[in-house]
Amino acid sequence: MAVFKIEGGHALRGDITPQGAKNEALQVICASLLTSEAVTISNIPDIRDVNNLIQLLCDIGVKTRTLEGAGSRTIEFRADTLNLEYLESDEFVRKCAALRGSVLMIGPLLARMRKAVVAKPGGDKIGRRRLDTHFLGFQKLGARFCHAENRDVYEIHAERLQGTYMLLDEASVTGTANIIMAAVMAEGTTTIYNAACEPYIQQLCHMLCRMGASISGIGSNLLTINGVSRLGGTDHRLLPDMIEVGSFIGMAAMCGDGIRIKNVSLQDLGIIPDAFRRLGVSVQEDGDDLYIPRQEHYVVDSFIDGTIMTLADAPWPGLTPDLLSVLIVVATQARGSVLFHQKMFESRLFFVDKLIDMGAQIILCDPHRAVVVGHDRSRQLRAQRMSSPDIRAGIALLIAAMSASGTSTISNIEQIDRGYENIEHRLNALGAKIERMA
């Protein structure tokens, strides 16, 4: 198990470019299963979760070819011959169980092959991440499924998929993506209400339309899909990863001496920059770049009636839950107090005990709420030995360690590797002192 050794207290300065979006990559790579023609995807991040999904597609017969000289990581996918026997194997089930992104294969396989076998997927240990929305949507389209308890897999079959109206029980991003990929080849018209509408869902819809799908309402929570009999190939480029952009804003606020985050696709960041501004962080827009100057002090805003600032996650265009961990760390050095309300996952705030050990003033009210009382940089966090419980808590702890006094270690950094490409080298280029140790 690899470990990061972080020497804190070094100022970061310079330019950094975000990687391609992890969550979008998982969706559009699975969408390549919908056609036998070539689908070329560029700006693919070289991270563990994405690489494991690509390998899983190769295992079921998808041909891949990395295109050299494309300027960013570009891979051509061709799913012209799929090994349906392997889809039934215990080895496939085992690999799916280790990768949450594997759940996004269900919709495309159901649309094209009329059946899928998928294990209960793995991923972050951040609380319950139920699959009901996915399966209820598939059932509405006419699929039948059962849980084979002896293998702990979901077996899904559909002689035909029929378009219908559905009101999703929650605006699940992966659930919406999965249902869209199944519905594009269903007979008739499918209407999805309370659909997730994140930029990554919009990107998936635009890509499918270029492949020949008919989708209207893109960008809203009401999608109308007219089914088609086949889809063709296309080229697609991933957006910059908004979570990495937000992580870099947090790093710049805590330990930056002037950092420019380049090519962020500002129109797709939603309220992320404003969430940091509410903590008092200066976030300057310059074309499609963000510049975060050195923050000697930053003062938490308050509501108009003077009550304590509250930051809560919400479906898009609300604040993504993936950045609350970073915002909590940034708040530890602000002037003022903030209540954080994490509504979606009941275990995601449990990493704050590590920040408390580092000297942060945090009251964990319950599994969903924490109050941070900022130090106003009067007290520096202390170095600690820590372990990364999930991707986002891992990057938050890395930010805390870089700003701390002394040398910290973070174990289980494979969790960070799942979402952040070559992170130590990129941050060391800005002046950080991070060493990866076996």
Side-chain angles (χ1 to χ4, degrees), residues 147-153:
H147 181 216
E149 296 184 3
N150 58 323
R151 302 174 65 203
D152 197 22
V153 299

Side-chain angles (χ1 to χ4, degrees), residues 21 49 165 335:
D49 274 11
Y165 170 86
R335 181 188 303 166

Side-chain angles (χ1 to χ4, degrees), residues 13 41 47 56 75 97 100 132 210 221 251 279 306 308 334 374 383 403 417:
R13 62 182 64 87
I41 303 173
I47 55 177
L56 193 57
I75 300 177
R100 180 158 188 85
D132 299 60
R210 290 195 302 273
N221 67 350
M251 290 177 188
L279 296 182
I308 184 173
S403 71
D417 291 337

Side-chain angles (χ1 to χ4, degrees), residues 122-363:
D124 290 327
K125 307 302 181 185
I126 56 176
R128 294 172 296 168
R129 303 177 78 172
R130 60 190 183 88
L131 299 178
D132 299 60
T133 302
H134 304 242
F135 292 133
L136 289 170
F138 297 147
Q139 282 183 312
K140 287 276 191 178
L141 292 171
R144 295 174 288 105
F145 78 94
C146 64
H147 181 216
E149 296 184 3
N150 58 323
R151 302 174 65 203
D152 197 22
V153 299
Y154 297 97
E155 298 175 349
I156 311 165
H157 302 271
E159 294 180 4
R160 61 192 288 266
L161 295 177
Q162 179 63 52
T164 187
Y165 170 86
M166 64 181 78
L167 173 62
L168 302 189
D169 63 331
E170 65 172 350
S172 164
V173 176
T174 54
T176 299
N178 235 343
I179 295 166
I180 290 170
M181 289 188 283
V184 289
M185 295 178 71
E187 299 176 16
T189 300
T190 300
T191 303
I192 307 173
Y193 198 20
N194 195 31
C197 53
E198 274 78 356
Y200 305 146
I201 291 289
Q202 298 175 38
Q203 284 280 95
L204 172 66
C205 290
H206 289 308
M207 172 182 164
L208 292 172
C209 287
R210 290 195 302 273
M211 295 170 69
S214 174
I215 306 173
S216 60
I218 299 172
S220 74
N221 67 350
L222 180 61
L223 296 175
T224 301
I225 302 170
N226 295 310
V228 297
S229 59
R230 65 177 299 277
L231 295 175
T234 192
D235 294 344
H236 181 79
R237 182 174 178 82
L238 301 177
L239 289 174
D241 194 308
M242 69 168 74
I243 311 304
E244 193 171 69
V245 172
S247 301
F248 292 154
I249 296 173
M251 290 177 188
M254 288 287 283
C255 44
D257 188 22
I259 291 180
R260 178 177 294 273
I261 310 170
K262 298 181 68 64
N263 303 322
V264 300
S265 190
L266 187 61
Q267 71 273 16
D268 295 305
L269 292 181
I271 65 171
I272 288 173
D274 285 336
F276 286 94
R277 291 180 180 120
R278 287 193 162 191
L279 296 182
V281 176
S282 174
V283 182
Q284 301 173 8
E285 300 173 9
D286 184 9
D288 203 32
D289 298 349
L290 292 177
Y291 180 73
I292 295 85
R294 182 182 181 89
Q295 312 283 315
E296 294 290 350
H297 297 278
Y298 45 98
V299 182
V300 177
D301 199 358
S302 61
F303 290 116
I304 293 175
D305 62 359
T307 55
I308 184 173
M309 174 57 58
T310 299
L311 291 177
D313 58 340
W316 185 270
L319 181 61
T320 170
D322 284 346
L323 278 176
L324 281 188
S325 301
V326 171
L327 287 160
I328 286 171
V329 171
V330 173
T332 65
Q333 293 301 320
R335 181 188 303 166
S337 300
V338 193
L339 170 64
F340 289 93
H341 191 174
Q342 218 295 6
K343 300 176 182 177
M344 296 189 185
F345 306 111
E346 65 268 19
S347 302
R348 207 163 212 168
L349 294 183
F350 287 166
F351 84 102
V352 301
D353 63 340
K354 301 172 178 63
L355 298 179
I356 294 171
D357 290 341
M358 298 178 78
Q361 298 184 98
I362 303 176
I363 303 167

Side-chain angles (χ1 to χ4, degrees), residues 18-70:
Q19 67 190 24
K22 172 202 167 190
N23 291 339
E24 180 187 348
L26 298 176
Q27 295 175 20
V28 300
I29 288 172
C30 287
S32 69
L33 292 168
L34 287 164
T35 178
S36 61
E37 298 181 16
V39 174
T40 302
I41 303 173
S42 60
N43 202 28
I44 298 176
D46 186 8
I47 55 177
R48 184 180 297 258
D49 274 11
V50 171
N51 293 340
N52 287 345
L53 180 63
I54 293 172
Q55 183 57 55
L56 193 57
L57 263 63
C58 291
D59 290 342
I60 66 173
V62 177
K63 302 178 184 69
T64 61
R65 183 167 65 98
T66 300
L67 304 184
E68 303 297 336

